[in-house]
Amino acid sequence: MNLDKLLRNNIKALKPYSSARDEFSGEADVYLDANENPFNKPYNRYPDPLQWAVKEKIASMKAVDPEKIFLGNGSDEPIDIILRAFCEPGIDNMVSIEPTYGMYQVAADINNVEVRKVKLDKEFGFSAQQLLDAANLYTKVIFICSPNNPTANLLDKAEIIKLLTGFDGLVVLDEAYIDFAPESSMLPDLDKYENLIVLQTFSKAWGMAGIRLGMAFAQPEIIRIFNKVKYPYNINMLTQKKALELLDHFQEKDEWVKIIIEERGKMIRKLFKLPFVQVVYPSDANFILVKMNDARGIYEYLTEKKIIVRDRSKIVLCDDCLRITIGSPKENRKLRKALKKLI
Ligand SMILES: *Cc1c(COP(=O)(O)O)cnc(C)c1O
């Protein structure tokens, strides 16, 4: 992979904004360099633009160098930055699977970047060769998602490796749901594949969707590009603080994940018995995709009962499917009780 050739020329030439905190980042007694207000401590100060304290903690937890970590305003920020840094609007393109997470398409549309989509097979698997065939000289990046949203399944690791070795652009692997999966993350393979970018998030297993914090892991050369393009203070002080607290409580996260996985098993077994349910697809995530007679009607019925699920029935390969997030044991019981009334 030749990063210089992949990068847009304007980004290559870009001289990034240099903030006061970039120019002096040591300890001092008197800070008169950033036009901050001396009152209202500690919120008067700009936050660390590179979030080193948070990255150090993530680094030790995940055994990855801090220089290989980028933190974004949700995973949505690195998704957008990848397209902005590498894809020339109206000229370059990206390749992805279908169906998958809707933000890849939206971010591409905003950046005027074509998305070349390859449909998954009936078991929601993918073929690396088909994605490679969909790529051309202008394909800068391939986006995949494992476990995939909305299909809930892990993608085949051997195929992912074929993509990484067969493509000389970037491969983004979105692991938003990896904590719920029986297979482990590809983070330990980061150094083996220089074109790999792994996305993870605090929004799902960590229970922190509200603080907006996403992670991208890649080689330092790639992370430096992201840092150049991002807003200088993209992660606010409150989010950094809360993330530091939260990272000390990873046992709690593990406990939540365990409960959600147990509940997922229970939900699959019970939904399977309902006569109007056609298929409960296997799940490696914290949600399940369920094919049923009159999915739209059931969606509306549940909404009337103040239970909201996601109607995916108009999505490719998801005809008559609802996507159901696994909630608390009580919430899950409420859903099943409402569905049983339909028999
Ligand atoms: C929920 C989700 C995310 C998380 O996005 P955030 O911006 O970090 O909240 C990322 N990727 C996929 C596939 C998701 O479903």
Side-chain angles (χ1 to χ4, degrees):
M1 180 187 64
N2 182 340
L3 253 193
D4 253 8
K5 240 181 72 186
L6 284 175
L7 204 54
R8 290 173 66 198
N9 284 328
N10 61 316
I11 304 298
K12 214 183 303 172
L14 178 70
K15 199 175 167 300
Y17 176 75
S18 181
S19 68
R21 286 292 168 275
D22 286 323
E23 287 181 15
F24 180 85
S25 60
E27 287 295 317
D29 292 336
V30 181
Y31 287 99
L32 302 175
D33 59 343
N35 297 348
E36 294 153 337
N37 188 319
F39 308 109
N40 199 33
K41 283 184 170 104
Y43 306 106
N44 59 330
R45 298 295 174 197
Y46 280 102
D48 176 2
L50 291 171
Q51 313 98 21
W52 286 117
V54 182
K55 285 179 184 173
E56 292 286 352
K57 271 214 170 141
I58 295 171
S60 70
M61 182 178 66
K62 295 186 181 276
V64 181
D65 298 332
E67 293 78 21
K68 294 175 187 161
I69 305 175
F70 171 84
L71 296 180
N73 187 327
S75 309
D76 294 342
E77 185 180 0
I79 291 168
D80 179 60
I81 287 183
I82 291 164
L83 291 164
R84 274 198 287 153
F86 294 99
C87 296
E88 195 63 39
I91 296 174
D92 292 331
N93 67 64
M94 61 169 269
V95 166
S96 191
I97 52 175
E98 183 177 39
T100 192
Y101 185 41
M103 269 313 287
Y104 312 144
Q105 177 80 56
V106 172
D109 288 345
I110 291 169
N111 288 290
N112 192 21
V113 169
E114 178 200 354
V115 183
R116 299 177 155 221
K117 289 185 207 158
V118 178
K119 238 200 265 180
L120 297 174
D121 62 34
K122 289 215 170 59
E123 277 80 50
F124 301 139
F126 87 112
S127 135
Q129 193 55 51
Q130 277 182 15
L131 292 195
L132 294 171
D133 289 344
N136 67 3
L137 282 173
Y138 296 97
T139 305
K140 297 296 182 70
V141 52
I142 300 178
F143 275 81
I144 51 171
C145 183
S146 176
N148 188 35
N149 180 2
T151 58
N153 59 310
L154 274 166
L155 300 181
D156 184 14
K157 198 156 179 177
E159 288 298 307
I160 297 174
I161 289 169
K162 270 192 224 166
L163 260 193
L164 288 162
T165 52
F167 181 56
D168 55 11
L170 298 163
V171 175
V172 178
L173 172 61
D174 188 338
E175 293 188 334
Y177 300 99
I178 195 67
D179 297 81
F180 304 103
E183 273 179 37
S184 51
S185 163
M186 280 201 67
L187 266 190
D189 298 319
L190 207 55
D191 291 342
K192 232 187 276 175
Y193 308 105
E194 57 173 356
N195 56 343
L196 173 62
I197 301 172
V198 174
L199 302 183
Q200 293 184 1
T201 180
F202 284 92
S203 296
K204 308 289 157 64
W206 286 94
M208 281 280 179
I211 74 167
R212 308 307 302 131
L213 192 61
M215 300 165 266
F217 302 89
Q219 291 306 308
E221 297 76 34
I222 298 175
I223 299 298
R224 278 198 290 273
I225 293 165
F226 294 177
N227 287 339
K228 209 164 120 165
V229 174
K230 76 180 184 74
Y231 288 159
Y233 303 105
N234 62 327
I235 308 297
N236 71 67
M237 180 190 287
L238 299 172
T239 293
Q240 293 191 42
K241 244 190 174 141
K242 199 71 206 170
L244 282 173
E245 264 174 55
L246 174 74
L247 283 160
D248 288 332
H249 295 267
F250 62 90
Q251 300 96 331
E252 205 175 351
K253 177 213 72 165
D254 292 343
E255 188 57 32
W256 293 336
V257 168
K258 205 176 127 225
I259 295 170
I260 291 167
I261 290 175
E262 280 168 16
E263 284 291 310
R264 178 180 75 194
K266 193 186 273 182
M267 187 68 96
I268 291 173
R269 286 192 302 277
K270 301 212 168 176
L271 291 190
F272 186 71
K273 292 183 183 152
L274 296 172
F276 52 86
V277 166
Q278 299 169 30
V279 190
V280 183
Y281 291 100
S283 170
D284 302 306
N286 68 337
F287 59 87
I288 50 178
L289 190 69
V290 188
K291 194 184 190 78
M292 49 182 86
N293 302 340
D294 189 23
R296 182 69 205 175
I298 291 174
Y299 169 82
E300 281 163 3
Y301 160 79
L302 288 173
T303 304
E304 269 169 36
K305 300 233 155 211
K306 298 197 188 302
I307 298 171
I308 315 301
V309 298
R310 200 82 195 271
D311 178 12
R312 301 281 80 183
S313 59
K314 296 288 175 285
I315 303 264
V316 176
L317 294 179
C318 298
D319 297 337
D320 269 322
C321 286
L322 299 183
R323 193 194 70 188
I324 302 173
T325 305
I326 304 301
S328 68
K330 193 172 160 194
E331 290 168 333
N332 300 334
R333 275 196 298 274
K334 269 192 186 162
L335 170 76
R336 289 193 296 262
K337 203 171 149 197
L339 287 174
K340 267 192 193 152
K341 287 200 179 133
L342 285 169
I343 303 175

